[in-house]
Amino acid sequence: GDDAGYYLAIARNACLGHGFSFDRLSPTNGFNPLMPLLLIPLDRVLAPSYDLVACFRIGALVSWIAVGLSLVALWRLGGRVFEAYGLSGATATAATGALLFFTTSFVALKGYYGMDAFLVLAFTLAHLACVARDGPLAAGAGWALRDGVLLGGAVLSRVDSLPLVAAAFLVMASVPRPGLRTVSRVLARAGVVLAVIGPWLAWNRLAFGDWLPISAQLKSSFPHWNPAQSLDTVLHTSLNPADEAAVFLGLLVALAWLAADLMGRLRPGRESGADGARYAMGMLAVYIAGRLAWLLLFSRLDVQGSYFVLVHPFLALAGLVLAVRVAGPRAALPAVAGVVLLGLALAGAKLKTALPEVRAIAAAQGDEWSIGRRIHDAVGSEDVLYGGAFGLVGFVADRAWINGDGVANDRAYQDAILRGETAAHLALDGVDYVVVAVSPPREPGTEPFAMTIVSHLHGALDSLRLDPTDIVLRERMRRNGGTDLWLVRWAPTRGGAPGVQASPGSGSPRQPAR
């Protein structure tokens, strides 16, 4: 998907000398740093020629390693939780196996999670497994360092993991018998988290004027809340029905878990480590409730399944525990069977939708890879392209490509849209071609047409004037049921920026980022 393409391109461009940049023209203040920081050295060592296929495979390898680490952490977390809440012996083993099977058959197969979601999963589940074993405030500098690094790593993987940090410290603050030792342990962990994420936040502030990346500002309207808009965003963007159901079910189950725990109806047994399991589940429930409530209040532009990747393991964990608590030990095996069958059904549905995509990729029909290569062949090596949310197409095209939805861009681009100066802004970047997404597909006609450009940050619109006689390539994408991509030659004097001179093939007047 697009997010994977942005990460792959940023890492490869850094290796090629363009800096932390997707478009090769200016630094990108739009993406989280951990994945590129992992990919850059791996690309240098494992793919020193920076071949596109090799870099793609390295990215896939990192994602699958993150999935594997997530499963190890989930195995440890699930085992401790089930033992603490009354599932023992073979029953606990079966429940843990069902939990892992559900996660691998559903979560790990979801392609549009991108790449960073699995890093978030690995860091978060590792922290929860540690809490389940040692409690949220284990004594010792080593434990404070461990907890702070895991929480900070989740934020560097995705900045929208900040609610996880808030949930963790809220649970730490709930530990009874507060005193100087407790406060010092909390402060030690807070110091480590700040040391991990502080340099990145400071770089954003100093280089771009904002603490958070532009992508986070585009996705969330905080502190301005609009439940109606947020609900519409949740229901009509990237989510499928299973994920939409998970949003509301996860919120209800998390709130119910917290209420039952506070009323003393969900206390674990007296086994060793039972308190740790309770704190881990409480931390997860607080995070899920807060994260989903945030989505339903402050969402805009798009909501992706990766935003609540932890909901699915939480629902399986909580469902198995609640089944035993409500219906008794005899309900354990039927509940385990139910989780396994649900995983099979979801995996079957995923494979059913994936097979046509696999065939299309094999036949080079409508997939991002084949389209990107055709765009690469249609333009020159010095040309600059602009348009759309086409991260993977942009990576494969291997050309200077300015991101059109602004997610892998910066605030200056958003401000240009607000002022109605997008054409002039792009002219200064030396844009030679514009990529237009047309859905549903249609014939271009004979009259000039306007490409609408949206700033979700400012709620503003602008447009570029394009001529159908300048279309040099038309491609049909399979995504979203079929979208036409038009590659249009663009001259700024005809695109709404009078007085700005730039000709096709002239390259960019701006210096590439270094």
Side-chain angles (χ1 to χ4, degrees), residues 209-476:
D210 294 303
W211 291 105
L212 297 178
I214 194 68
S215 56
Q217 300 173 56
L218 287 170
K219 299 288 187 177
S220 175
S221 63
F222 180 81
H224 306 292
W225 61 287
N226 188 333
Q229 175 187 333
S230 297
L231 180 62
D232 183 72
T233 303
V234 169
L235 296 178
H236 298 98
T237 51
S238 297
L239 303 185
N240 58 34
D243 281 325
E244 290 174 358
V247 171
F248 301 100
L249 182 60
L251 179 59
L252 291 175
V253 173
L255 292 174
W257 182 282
L258 291 172
D261 184 61
L262 291 173
M263 291 187 295
R265 298 181 180 179
L266 258 181
R267 299 298 170 91
R270 299 182 180 275
E271 293 82 359
S272 175
D275 284 344
R278 181 194 171 210
Y279 281 121
M281 286 299 293
M283 190 179 294
L284 185 53
V286 170
Y287 167 69
I288 295 297
R291 187 71 185 92
L292 296 183
W294 186 287
L295 281 181
L296 293 172
L297 289 176
F298 302 111
S299 290
R300 65 182 178 192
L301 180 61
D302 189 16
V303 170
Q304 301 168 351
S306 57
Y307 295 175
F308 49 94
V309 66
L310 285 157
V311 170
H312 308 296
F314 168 72
L315 286 174
L317 267 168
L320 288 164
V321 170
L322 291 173
V324 174
R325 282 302 178 96
V326 172
R330 292 183 179 181
L333 291 181
V336 166
V339 170
V340 171
L341 290 175
L342 179 61
L344 283 171
L346 292 170
K350 180 60 184 177
L351 291 174
K352 183 178 180 180
T353 59
L355 287 175
E357 301 301 323
V358 172
R359 296 190 185 102
I361 292 171
Q365 295 177 348
D367 67 287
E368 281 90 340
W369 196 276
S370 59
I371 292 173
R373 295 313 296 165
R374 285 194 278 271
I375 290 176
H376 170 275
D377 295 339
V379 303
S381 60
E382 298 300 318
D383 288 330
V384 179
L385 287 73
Y386 161 78
F390 305 118
L392 196 56
V393 175
F395 166 71
V396 178
D398 196 18
R399 298 290 188 238
W401 187 316
I402 299 171
N403 169 240
D405 69 355
V407 172
N409 211 306
D410 57 21
R411 177 178 279 271
Y413 170 71
Q414 301 291 328
D415 294 343
I417 299 173
L418 176 64
R419 297 192 301 266
E421 299 174 356
T422 310
H425 183 81
L426 297 178
L428 289 175
D429 279 327
V431 170
D432 305 294
Y433 293 89
V434 174
V435 181
V436 184
V438 182
S439 183
R442 62 176 175 82
E443 290 298 316
T446 58
E447 298 296 322
F449 61 96
M451 173 187 176
T452 301
I453 302 167
V454 182
S455 168
H456 291 275
L457 182 67
H458 297 304
L461 298 176
D462 199 2
S463 63
L464 293 182
R465 186 177 175 84
L466 303 171
D467 192 320
T469 62
D470 291 329
I471 297 175
V472 298
L473 186 68
R474 293 175 61 187
E475 293 287 342
R476 176 70 57 86

Side-chain angles (χ1 to χ4, degrees), residues 28 32 337 456:
T28 295
N32 307 292
H456 291 275

